[in-house]
Amino acid sequence: MLKIKKKRLTDRGDRAVKRLAEIETCITGLADNDLLDRADKAELYTPSADMAFLEMTRRNISL
């Protein structure tokens, strides 16, 4: 039983890491206007908003 639970938790963690990488890829792939729109509509202090603002900083663009 313990092995099954460990495997399930490991699989869940692997899926979460993969999903986060996909989200990051999507955000970094946005055009400048789309990135600005995403950042403008984002609620503060969410992981996706943080990623959007970091990408804006990297591109040297602002709202």
Side-chain angles (χ1 to χ4, degrees):
M1 183 73 165
L2 187 58
K3 287 182 181 181
I4 294 171
K5 186 174 182 178
K6 283 183 179 180
K7 176 148 176 41
R8 186 179 44 208
L9 290 174
T10 300
D11 290 344
R12 185 185 315 169
D14 291 345
R15 285 191 307 271
V17 168
K18 182 180 176 189
R19 185 66 179 147
L20 182 60
E22 290 170 352
I23 292 168
E24 188 174 6
T25 300
C26 289
I27 289 175
T28 57
L30 291 173
D32 287 351
N33 289 338
D34 295 331
L35 182 61
L36 290 170
D37 287 342
R38 171 69 186 105
D40 190 33
K41 294 176 186 175
E43 295 180 22
L44 294 177
Y45 310 115
T46 61
S48 63
D50 289 343
M51 284 184 208
F53 288 119
L54 285 172
E55 183 64 16
M56 288 171 52
T57 302
R58 187 184 74 74
R59 295 184 191 184
N60 198 24
I61 58 175
S62 62
L63 293 173

